[in-house]
């Protein structure tokens, strides 16, 4: 059951001229949050901008005793609201509604979890990686960015024992090119009897590409979609995605029936936002 | 003790705060954030006879203090609504106002018939004002005869309170309120959204897949208040006001202008917990001004002083 | 080099950015913050034949992303304008668009006659859309015959470009653009303000002395863009668009929707230095998209993709 | 000639739970500002609230060498915008347009300057007192507030050699009652041959009362009016006040023909905002 808290900004950590991490004081939300869930944040008081913005829960913040104290978001500056969060001042309060949406289901150690992240699509995987680690499930992160400066938290994942495969479009770090290239080689190489689940988050075209790789190599893939969302609670029908249900495709609300979907059910050619 | 009850024709509401159609899903989506029985009413998402897919995304775009929507009335159709949603709404003791849309007169009549036989429907809101569908709907709402026809036809087949919802996209909204009253409406509700559009200048494409959409939110409030004020002067039946209400002050503004009850739409997207804040705020105001019944506020705008001012100029 | 020139009937403007009437005084007030000759045009405050005091304060009230005004067309009258303001405007090489208001048809005609003989008037904007005066003005603007009558009558007595300014408070603004075109207008400008009101709930009084006022500012932009788009489809004469323009992107949105030029009103209150920012922004955009002439942008909204989407749904 | 600067907030000094002083980095405006002039400040980015707010220039800030570095405003929290200024964070930028309006004309030492302030109406008098002091013009401040906690900067005026007469409505400091009481006694007592000019700023009813005292005791009074202002530059005609001009009363724009007016020209019974 989601709640709304006026969360104080604990810290604003700039990662680059585009990315930052905003830590929010929200114990009650942190306690209930599951990997892949999101929050709806109001960027400023007043009515311009009017609507909240959806953000994946990036980290669960904890005190010395390990008790959840809040959540952080990995913010990428793309417009009005994300710019305001990029400039968030510690001490300011941010209305924070959550946790929202259908979470990832972390596979257990009988299988393997391969996380595929593009850019800010890394956000939902910090908590998923922790969940896989506690289950001692073998995990790999395929993580692509435009350039070296756009790759973050690599050590965080390595510390959790996650195998990390990096790519950049300019070759400044990891493999030169798209994340789908090393992913396809790995899928090709993987023995059929290994039970691998792909978890995917990133730009829509990238998710579509991974979905078709999953189909080709007959692996299960779950994607976390990012549609424009007006409410996050199923009220406005703005966030719909075309999903195969009983034979035909229907528009389904990605805020409450997602954002996490089985990629084989998404009608990728009709998906856009 | 403050009394928040208001009367919409034959229907008595525990309080004047109603969830606006299309902004609250079918109500059940919000059951775990708000106790539906605490609301004056719940106007459910606009229903056609049959299920509809609606428009492809993008379906909304934010604008200054407002938003455009072109959902295209995606919905499950009246039959599935009665089977799958109405029972839960009944169990949760929600006062259900069903917002109905047709592409033809017969469709409105058919919907009214079906819903009159369904248990747990408190009133019918006739959506003759949705700017987002090409056929029907607003074509009735933008012509006086169209409005007369739909309301009279529905009136004939139902005992439920009939509440035509008026569009603001007309020159003289009061004349539509009059037409509705003459044809037997129990109340009118207004405003629906303003036909509007937004363009992505980089791609030179509309920001909505439907090109145009409906503007809602605080941006439109001053126009909506004026229209409610005009309708209040024009008709005796209750006026249900809406358009940008987000705070108790906003709700009071509409009631003082002449609204018997108000609906809240877009604000629920921004804050799904707005409902208790609105109700508490109304109570505080009434206590502060020691007014016993919220109903005593309706249409009490004092224009004397100002009219003097006007003349003295 | 980017070419910002646009053509309004016989009148060539150096650029499409015009100061909106009533938001820029008589122009001279702003002479020391902006070089008037750098503007596409200056639409001066609405003028009657005689001087007017206007309404007593409060004359404006802020609303979400907008403002209401009921100034009541305070003004010095056409004769003092010609004597006291026009010479300085001429000296500063401003392209002067005179916004004229009458309570009767004859008054519009008389004003047009007088201004046609005055040196330094580039065009006449007929204000048949001011929501703030009881008599005249909007009563012409809200009836098609009224619009036809005023425009034809003025057309007969002047060679100056005639630009009726349309009100958005109508069901079908495009039909008014058509009426204006048929009766010989050189262009139409829209939108004037939306009739609206605001109430102080503590005193239960209107916030404006005039009770109602006109809503302007970013809040109305999406409605205004839609109306400009509709008029563009309806007429061949140039459309001058306005309503909430504050940034270059806003101005471009109107031009892509079909405006040949734009006017900027409320934004000038918020930032009197907005003018150079708008012009620089237009130039940057044209360079970035390597478009040589701003005129090539007019009405280039691409609705194909979206219409496909709409059908495929 | 007014200019617009994106002024950084240098400091926000809380004086009470209602009043604060916001110091703004705006050398170019500080250099040209005259006593009684004002600035138009934008309270927040975005379009809600939309309009700027007018504030008297309270202090001219100077560096060690005495060079003007900025201006401060004395802010009273009454609504949306003043609340935002009450919470202003150092480092934030505030669009600041000015200097605007007709200033006070400080009388020279052949006369006397009596400043009459009600509440936040103190704002324009800090700079006027300095101007009178440099002219070595005898100066007095009659300053009324609701309670002791609403009276500020008294020492500032005393340091400039200004005689200070305080009143509070609850009697918690100075004389119990309205500022007009000691003022009237002083006017009664003052010899006719003294040339006294009253400078008045405060709530409209208080200014009207002082204006009628000035009439009764035949002293010149100039008032600084506070009307709702949309633009501050003469563009919108929102700020008009009824002024006697060539025989009859006309609405005059208080932003450019004021805010300072000769009180005898104001038609007080028609003045409201
Ligand atoms: C479930 C979910 C989780 C998300 N998690 C994160 C996250 O962890 N970190 C993060 O930085 N962003 C995340 N996003 C995307 C984020 O919500 C948008 O970037 C944000 O809403 C843009 O707001 P804005 O005001 O900055 O952009 P606007 O000024 O509103 O728009 C600027 C541009 O951003 C585009 N945009 C608007 N909404 C979205 C959207 N929902 N997704 C993608 N682009 C959009 C617009 O189309 C426009 O082109 C998530 C989105 C969803 C739906
Ligand atoms: C020339 C001039 C100088 C001023 N100097 C100062 C100053 O030094 N310090 C200071 O604190 N205030 C000053 N004011 C008043 C200040 O501008 C208003 O208090 C402010 O605009 C209110 O904005 P708000 O958003 O807080 O109030 P809003 O939320 O806009 O309105 C809240 C209440 O304040 C009232 N209000 C709005 N504008 C004014 C106004 N101009 N004057 C009085 N009440 C108003 C409204 O009617 C309403 O009742 C000055 C005003 C003028 C015209
Ligand atoms: C996303 C969305 C969907 C809507 N759907 C409907 C609808 O199905 N039927 C209807 O009568 N009104 C619909 N409306 C209009 C609202 O009920 C309301 O009239 C309008 O939004 C103004 O109120 P508000 O400003 O509080 O949102 C919708 C509005 C929005 C924003
Ligand atoms: C204070 C004020 C005064 C106005 N006076 C006039 C006027 O005299 N004549 C006129 O045609 N329009 C007048 N208008 C309307 C504007 O010219 C413009 O049409 C409207 O404000 C929308 O543009 P904007 O949102 O950029 O302000 C006035 C608007 C404002 C805010
Ligand atoms: S965001 Fe509103 S329904 Fe999904
Ligand atoms: S504030 Fe706009 S004219 Fe004075």
């Amino acid at each position: 059951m989601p709640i709304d808290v006026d969360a104080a900004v604990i810290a604003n950590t700039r990662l680059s001229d585009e990315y930052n991490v905003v830590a929010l004081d929200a114990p009650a939300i942190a306690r209930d949050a599951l990997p892949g869930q999101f929050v709806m944040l109001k960027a400023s008081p007043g009515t311009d901008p009017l609507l909240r913005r959806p953000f994946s829960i990036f980290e669960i913040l904890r005190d010395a005793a390990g008790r959840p104290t809040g959540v952080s978001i990995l913010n990428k500056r793309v417009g009005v609201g994300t710019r305001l969060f990029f400039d968030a001042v510690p001490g300011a309060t941010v209305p924070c509604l959550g946790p929202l949406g259908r979470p990832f289901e972390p596979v257990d150690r009988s299988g393997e979890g391969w996380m595929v992240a593009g850019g800010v699509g890394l956000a939902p995987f910090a908590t998923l990686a922790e969940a896989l680690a506690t289950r001692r499930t073998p995990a790999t992160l395929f993580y692509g960015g435009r350039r070296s400066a756009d790759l973050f938290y690599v050590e965080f994942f390595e510390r959790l024992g996650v195998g990390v495969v990096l790519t950049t479009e300019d070759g400044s770090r990891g493999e030169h090119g798209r994340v789908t290239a090393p992913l396809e080689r790995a899928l090709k190489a993987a023995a059929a009897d290994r039970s691998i689940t792909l978890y995917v988050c990133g730009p829509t075209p990238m998710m579509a590409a991974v979905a078709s790789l999953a189909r080709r190599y007959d692996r299960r893939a779950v994607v976390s979609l990012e549609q424009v969302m007006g409410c996050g609670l199923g009220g406005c029908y703005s966030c719909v995605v075309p999903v195969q249900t009983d034979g035909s495709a229907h528009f389904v609300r990605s805020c409450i029936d997602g954002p996490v979907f089985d990629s084989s059910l998404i009608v990728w050619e009709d998906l856009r936002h | 003790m403050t009394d928040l009850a208001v009367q919409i024709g034959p229907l008595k509401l525990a309080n004047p705060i109603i969830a606006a159609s299309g902004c609250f899903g079918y109500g059940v989506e919000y059951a775990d954030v708000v106790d539906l029985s605490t609301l004056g009413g719940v106007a459910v998402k606009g229903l056609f006879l049959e299920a509809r897919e609606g428009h492809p995304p993008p379906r909304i775009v934010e604008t200054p203090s407002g938003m455009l929507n072109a959902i295209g009335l995606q919905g499950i159709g009246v039959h599935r609504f009665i089977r799958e949603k109405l029972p839960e709404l009944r169990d949760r003791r929600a006062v259900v106002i069903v917002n109905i849309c047709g592409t033809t007169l017969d469709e409105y009549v058919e919907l009214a018939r079906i819903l009159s036989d369904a248990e747990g429907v408190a009133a019918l809101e006739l959506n003759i004002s949705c700017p987002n569908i090409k056929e029907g709907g607003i074509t009735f709402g933008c012509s006086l005869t169209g409005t007369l026809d739909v309301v009279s036809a529905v009136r004939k087949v139902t005992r439920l309170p009939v509440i035509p919802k008026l569009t603001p996209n007309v020159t003289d909204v009061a004349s539509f309120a009059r037409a509705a009253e003459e044809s037997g409406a129990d109340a009118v509700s207004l405003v629906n959204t303003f036909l509007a559009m937004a363009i992505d200048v980089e791609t030179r494409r509309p920001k909505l897949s439907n090109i145009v959409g409906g503007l809602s939110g605080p941006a439109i409030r001053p126009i909506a208040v004026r229209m409610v004020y005009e309708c209040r002067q024009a008709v005796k039946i209750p006026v249900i006001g809406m358009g940008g209400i987000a705070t108790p002050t906003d709700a009071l503004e509409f009631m003082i202008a002449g609204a018997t009850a108000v609906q809240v739409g877009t604000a629920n997207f921004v804050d799904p917990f707005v409902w208790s804040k609105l109700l508490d705020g109304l109570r505080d105001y009434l206590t502060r001004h020691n007014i016993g019944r919220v109903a005593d506020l309706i249409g009490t705008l004092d224009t004397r002083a100002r009219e003097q001012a006007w003349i003295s100029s």
Side-chain angles (χ1 to χ4, degrees), chain A, chain B:
Chain A
M1 198 184 105
I3 61 166
D4 187 31
V5 298
D6 282 335
V9 174
I10 301 167
N12 175 356
T13 313
R14 292 280 175 94
L15 303 179
S16 75
D17 58 358
E18 256 186 342
Y19 286 85
N20 66 318
V21 173
V22 181
L24 297 170
D25 178 2
I29 291 173
R31 223 173 287 118
D32 297 353
L34 298 169
Q37 287 192 299
F38 66 98
V39 288
M40 295 287 290
L41 304 181
K42 184 95 169 70
S44 70
T47 59
D48 178 47
L50 177 66
L51 299 170
R52 296 193 187 214
R53 301 294 192 257
F55 289 88
S56 298
I57 292 168
F58 181 45
E59 301 159 294
I60 302 295
L61 311 173
R62 302 179 180 281
D63 61 18
R67 280 182 303 265
T69 58
V71 299
S72 76
I73 62 157
L74 175 65
N75 178 63
K76 181 183 182 186
R77 190 166 48 68
V78 301
V80 182
T82 48
R83 168 175 297 282
L84 287 163
F85 290 119
F86 191 72
D87 299 331
V89 229
T93 56
V94 174
C96 177
L97 174 70
L100 300 168
R102 275 191 42 214
F104 287 122
E105 282 151 17
V107 292
D108 67 24
R109 54 201 293 199
S110 66
E112 295 173 49
W114 289 13
M115 297 169 277
V116 187
V120 74
L122 181 73
F125 292 135
T127 52
L128 178 61
E130 288 177 328
L132 292 170
T134 45
R135 288 167 179 68
R136 297 215 242 69
T137 305
T140 310
L141 172 68
F142 298 85
Y143 178 19
R146 256 175 304 131
R147 51 199 174 108
S148 174
D150 295 337
L151 298 177
F152 314 105
Y153 276 67
V154 173
E155 313 63 31
F156 170 92
F157 286 92
E158 286 168 343
R159 249 184 278 109
L160 289 169
V162 176
V164 178
V165 180
L166 302 176
T167 67
T168 53
E169 285 169 28
D170 68 356
S172 53
R173 187 172 178 189
E175 178 172 331
H176 190 304
R178 297 276 175 80
V179 71
T180 39
L183 176 64
E184 174 155 22
R185 288 201 307 277
L187 287 166
K188 215 188 243 120
D193 61 356
R194 285 166 65 186
S195 127
I196 296 163
T197 302
L198 301 179
Y199 300 96
V200 192
C201 188
T204 301
M206 172 266 204
M207 290 194 279
V210 175
S212 66
L213 284 179
R215 214 176 302 110
R216 175 144 4 112
Y217 295 95
D218 190 26
R219 301 292 186 179
R220 175 154 182 273
V222 287
V223 294
S224 179
L225 302 179
E226 291 195 0
Q227 297 299 103
V228 172
M229 288 186 178
C231 72
L233 282 174
C236 73
Y237 283 72
S238 66
C239 61
V240 294
V241 293
V243 170
Q244 287 292 346
T245 35
D246 44 69
S248 58
H250 295 293
F251 281 132
V252 163
R253 288 166 290 182
S254 62
C255 62
I256 53 174
D257 296 325
V260 171
F261 291 94
D262 186 314
S263 73
S264 65
L265 298 179
I266 303 295
V267 186
W268 290 99
E269 46 295 1
D270 291 351
L271 181 65
R272 60 171 112 63
H273 80 249
Chain B
M1 253 316 289
T2 54
D3 174 6
L4 292 184
V6 294
Q7 196 74 31
I8 304 292
L11 179 63
K12 182 177 181 140
L13 304 180
N15 66 66
I17 306 293
I18 302 168
S21 179
C23 303
F24 205 65
Y26 295 107
V28 296
E29 292 89 341
Y30 285 86
D32 57 2
V33 294
V34 49
D35 174 350
L36 301 182
S37 69
T38 61
L39 300 181
V42 172
V44 297
K45 196 167 175 7
L47 283 171
F48 279 82
L49 273 176
E50 307 307 329
R52 287 172 61 102
E53 280 303 321
H55 301 318
R59 287 177 165 190
I60 66 167
V61 47
E62 196 176 45
T63 67
S65 297
M67 66 179 281
L68 303 184
N69 88 85
I71 306 303
L73 288 162
Q74 173 174 1
I76 57 177
V78 70
H79 303 291
R80 275 186 62 195
F81 169 76
I82 291 172
R83 270 202 318 279
E84 299 172 18
K85 310 292 179 186
L86 199 50
E88 179 174 352
L89 290 168
R90 224 166 30 222
D91 297 346
R92 297 185 177 276
R93 306 203 321 289
V95 176
V96 179
I97 300 169
V98 181
N99 181 271
I100 60 174
C101 328
T103 54
T104 65
L105 194 68
D106 300 350
E107 215 173 327
Y108 282 98
V109 171
E110 180 64 11
L111 280 160
R113 272 221 191 77
I114 294 167
L115 287 159
S116 304
D117 301 337
E119 192 195 335
V121 176
L124 298 179
E125 185 174 52
L126 311 187
N127 181 0
I128 52 175
S129 45
C130 177
N132 295 330
I133 53 168
K134 297 217 162 145
E135 68 298 327
I138 200 163
T139 52
F140 294 104
C142 282
S143 104
L144 284 170
T145 54
T147 304
L148 275 161
D149 294 345
V150 178
V151 178
S152 330
V154 169
R155 175 76 292 168
K156 282 199 196 64
V157 300
T158 186
R159 277 214 214 68
L160 289 172
V162 174
I163 309 169
K165 184 167 179 177
L166 307 181
T167 174
N169 300 296
V170 294
T171 310
D172 177 18
V173 70
S175 61
F176 287 82
R178 254 184 249 103
E181 182 174 46
E182 287 161 16
S183 36
D186 298 280
V188 292
S189 62
L190 66 150
V191 297
N192 206 318
T193 55
F194 289 77
L195 192 60
M197 75 191 286
I199 296 168
D200 179 333
V201 302
E202 295 304 317
T203 62
R204 291 198 244 163
R205 292 225 184 127
K207 286 187 175 178
L208 293 171
S209 70
N210 189 48
I211 302 171
V212 295
L215 179 63
S216 65
I220 67 171
R221 198 176 65 236
I223 314 178
V225 170
R226 183 263 301 179
M227 290 182 167
V228 165
Y229 178 68
E230 288 177 347
C231 289
R232 170 75 288 144
Q233 320 301 310
V235 297
K236 297 199 174 26
I237 54 174
V239 175
I240 300 172
M242 76 195 88
I245 295 172
T247 69
T249 309
D250 302 338
L252 288 161
E253 193 178 9
F254 274 87
M255 294 192 74
I256 292 165
T260 300
V262 298
Q263 293 187 15
V264 178
T266 301
N268 176 63
F269 300 152
V270 179
D271 178 8
F273 294 94
V274 70
W275 307 105
S276 55
K277 297 169 191 170
L278 290 169
L279 291 167
D280 294 346
L282 286 190
R283 285 194 203 86
D284 295 350
Y285 177 91
L286 294 174
T287 315
R288 214 155 24 84
H289 291 260
N290 58 74
I291 298 168
R293 307 164 52 243
V294 76
D296 295 338
L297 271 180
I298 299 164
T300 56
L301 181 68
D302 170 9
T303 55
R304 279 175 292 106
R306 296 311 195 191
E307 266 150 4
Q308 265 171 2
W310 200 146
I311 290 150
S312 84
S313 80

